[in-house]
Amino acid sequence: MKTICSILLVLFSFIPADKNLPVSKLDLKKYSGTWYSLYSIPTIFDKGSRETTTKYTLNKDGYYSVLTTYKKPKDEKVYSRNSKMFPSEEGNNGELQAQFVWPIKVDYWIIELAEDYSYVVVGHPDHKFLFIMSRSKSMPKKTHDEIVARCKAKGYEVNKLTSQFGQ
């Protein structure tokens, strides 16, 4: 029995899991605009925040000026912070870098993007965070469940996802 289990374990280890990679094509102009962070495995900057909205403005220098607004727990005041988002050198894929504090940049990968740019999933090469964002404050449950299943297959700890808009 141990031998059979060992063989099965080895065989299952060769089954390819979905790879955690950035999307190969990104239209920087279409990505611009307002996104609502519906669910997240937050970063240290985002822990406890809720009703988070991020506006990406592509500027003439080729990077995004980013304005993030959010509320803190048990506080109705709206807070904001500015940051920058830099596309890859190729400029047309989902491998971006966020800069919250100069000169430090953090990998910010678009790992899934709806064809019509209605939702986006942002992750990290080492699975450190995950954001499911939409152009609206909600998304169909079926879409959410399918995204979460794909993120789990890519190695994200989806049990750590928190809801931003009380869905």
Side-chain angles (χ1 to χ4, degrees):
M1 187 64 164
K2 282 184 179 181
T3 306
I4 292 172
C5 287
S6 297
I7 291 171
L8 288 174
L9 185 62
V10 169
L11 289 175
F12 284 123
S13 69
F14 288 109
I15 295 174
D18 289 346
K19 292 189 176 179
N20 182 41
L21 296 171
V23 296
S24 60
K25 186 165 172 62
L26 174 67
D27 183 322
L28 296 174
K29 288 182 182 176
K30 279 186 182 179
Y31 191 74
S32 295
T34 301
W35 291 95
Y36 297 93
S37 182
L38 303 181
Y39 303 92
S40 68
I41 299 174
T43 69
I44 58 170
F45 296 107
D46 306 303
K47 278 202 192 278
S49 65
R50 61 186 175 87
E51 297 181 37
T52 303
T53 302
T54 306
K55 183 175 182 181
Y56 297 85
T57 304
L58 188 61
N59 63 39
K60 62 181 168 73
D61 295 321
Y63 67 85
Y64 292 104
S65 296
V66 182
L67 173 64
T68 302
T69 60
Y70 58 96
K71 293 180 182 177
K72 294 180 179 180
K74 300 177 185 177
D75 186 351
E76 291 305 310
K77 180 180 174 187
V78 176
Y79 296 85
S80 66
R81 84 174 152 263
N82 292 296
S83 59
K84 295 177 182 178
M85 188 74 59
F86 297 91
S88 67
E89 288 186 24
E90 294 81 29
N92 62 354
N93 67 27
E95 192 172 338
L96 297 106
Q97 290 192 315
Q99 185 177 64
F100 301 101
V101 179
W102 184 86
I104 301 167
K105 292 181 182 174
V106 177
D107 288 321
Y108 181 99
W109 283 8
I110 296 172
I111 60 171
E112 187 172 327
L113 181 62
E115 194 172 312
D116 63 357
Y117 285 65
S118 60
Y119 74 82
V120 64
V121 182
V122 175
H124 185 272
D126 297 327
H127 305 89
K128 291 181 180 179
F129 57 79
L130 183 70
F131 296 95
I132 299 172
M133 302 188 298
S134 174
R135 295 292 188 179
S136 63
K137 292 181 182 179
S138 65
M139 77 174 24
K141 181 175 178 359
K142 181 179 186 235
T143 303
H144 165 267
D145 292 347
E146 291 169 350
I147 292 169
V148 170
R150 288 189 296 270
C151 290
K152 183 176 183 178
K154 291 177 184 178
Y156 287 91
E157 295 182 63
V158 295
N159 59 315
K160 293 183 177 180
L161 281 169
T162 61
S163 174
Q164 289 280 308
F165 282 90
Q167 297 182 6

